[in-house]
């Protein structure tokens, strides 16, 4: 008797649960594929932008995700102009592509003070650099990093829809929408 | 005596060469991180979209990349409206993030007939499905795949700029632009 290791891909409900299981692993396991999603945004000139981010929280009940960033980074400026974000994860072990369409709120200052207070010193080093991220330098190391709570921002991503593709022996694709109560339906892959 | 395994990150020239070495590996080695970039586009409603693609060719001399797709896929419709694309690669072994900003041309029919002719049968299965990708299905497996040369499209991506981040003991970031003859300059990471 053999067991299908990807049996969870066969029903809309178990596939949805698997997505959130993988997202949760990304938050808690630094080696999980969902630890480092690609965040895509639209630049102020209307071009797509994509970069690696770290998944900090994933709340299945609310359908929300948290990502931390430097307030001076280009992605913050982009999300202020167009709040739409896409998060992409390719989990090769599960043969699973997870695509989240989301809307971003940018939290700063007192809204994130508690998260900052709990953050260890080495982690704070990622927030606050002179010059700001993306500014040209004459020397590769011509920048300084000094932790600055005013440079710490949290992207609060409210998921609008989830598109999942499972590339098992059979290819399956499903979409789940907040507006549909996350009920889900199959799509042609 | 120890040797820095990431010595190539220290100069603009060797960092640029490393980017193209990694891209070339992605084309020739199915297990290389650059084998599966994330392709970001902007949807017809102005939202970012991101999905995994397979890197099929990388030409350093011309600064171009090829990706294959089903002509009926959403990404083709998106690129017809807005030709701008972003390709994102995270190479964890090299601690290297590669971001390519590109403009896409969509090649079909006689322009891609030679590539189709050389393609093995099992690979052709990825092009041509009924219903088209992304169409709702009542059953997960309620689709058929019949190879169709008319459904085969090649995205010819002309790279406009490359943004590279190396997360070694020191963080380094550089940008190379076609308009600048790919000379490159450092950026604050």
């Amino acid at each position: 008797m053999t067991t299908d290791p990807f049996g969870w891909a066969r029903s809309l409900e178990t596939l949805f649960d698997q997505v959130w299981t993988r997202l949760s692993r990304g938050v808690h396991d630094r080696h999980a594929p969902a630890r480092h999603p690609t965040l895509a945004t639209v630049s102020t000139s209307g071009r797509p932008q994509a970069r690696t981010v770290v998944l900090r929280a994933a709340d299945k009940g609310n359908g929300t995700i948290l990502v931390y960033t430097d307030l001076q980074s280009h992605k913050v400026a982009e999300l202020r102009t167009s709040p739409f974000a896409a998060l992409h994860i390719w989990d090769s072990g599960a043969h699973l592509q997870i695509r989240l369409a989301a809307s971003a709120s940018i939290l700063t200052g007192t809204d994130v003070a508690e998260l900052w207070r709990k953050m260890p010193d080495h982690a704070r080093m990622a927030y606050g650099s002179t010059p700001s991220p993306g500014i040209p330098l004459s020397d590769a190391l011509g920048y300084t990093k000094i932790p600055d709570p005013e440079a710490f921002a949290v992207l609060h991503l409210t998921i609008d829809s989830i598109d999942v593709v499972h590339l098992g022996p059979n290819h399956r694709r499903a979409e789940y929408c907040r507006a549909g109560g996350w009920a889900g339906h199959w799509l042609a892959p």
Side-chain angles (χ1 to χ4, degrees), chain A residues 20-36 54-59:
Chain A
W20 282 100
T21 297
R22 300 276 160 180
L23 292 174
S24 181
R25 271 188 213 167
V27 174
H28 301 291
D29 175 1
R30 57 190 297 120
H31 300 294
R35 181 69 169 185
H36 294 113
V54 180
L55 190 63
R56 301 295 183 175
D59 182 328

Side-chain angles (χ1 to χ4, degrees), chain A residues 23-69:
Chain A
L23 292 174
S24 181
R25 271 188 213 167
V27 174
H28 301 291
D29 175 1
R30 57 190 297 120
H31 300 294
R35 181 69 169 185
H36 294 113
T38 301
L39 173 72
T41 51
V42 179
S43 78
T44 49
S45 61
R47 296 193 179 211
Q49 297 287 340
R51 78 289 280 166
T52 303
V53 294
V54 180
L55 190 63
R56 301 295 183 175
D59 182 328
K60 185 182 181 186
N62 291 319
T64 55
I65 294 282
L66 297 186
V67 166
Y68 300 170
T69 184

Side-chain angles (χ1 to χ4, degrees), chain A residues 34 43 46 61 66 119-120 130-131 136 167 188:
Chain A
S43 78
L66 297 186
M119 196 183 299
T130 305
L167 298 178

Side-chain angles (χ1 to χ4, degrees), chain A residues 5 13 47 55 71 75 78 82 87-88 116 134 157 160 187:
Chain A
E13 293 74 16
R47 296 193 179 211
L55 190 63
L71 187 61
K75 63 177 104 48
E78 289 160 8
S82 171
L87 279 152
H88 170 271
W116 180 264
L157 296 155
D160 300 317
L187 301 179

Side-chain angles (χ1 to χ4, degrees), chain A residues 10-11 14 17 20 33 38 46 54 65-66 78 83 103 105 143 154 159-160 186:
Chain A
R10 294 185 186 185
S11 90
T14 53
D17 289 343
W20 282 100
T38 301
V54 180
I65 294 282
L66 297 186
E78 289 160 8
S103 304
S105 301
Y143 64 91
V154 173
I159 302 170
D160 300 317
W186 299 108

Side-chain angles (χ1 to χ4, degrees), chain A residues 164-178:
Chain A
V164 195
V165 176
H166 182 250
L167 298 178
N170 292 299
H171 293 192
R172 288 180 170 86
R173 181 177 178 183
E175 183 180 45
Y176 305 86
C177 299
R178 176 181 295 275

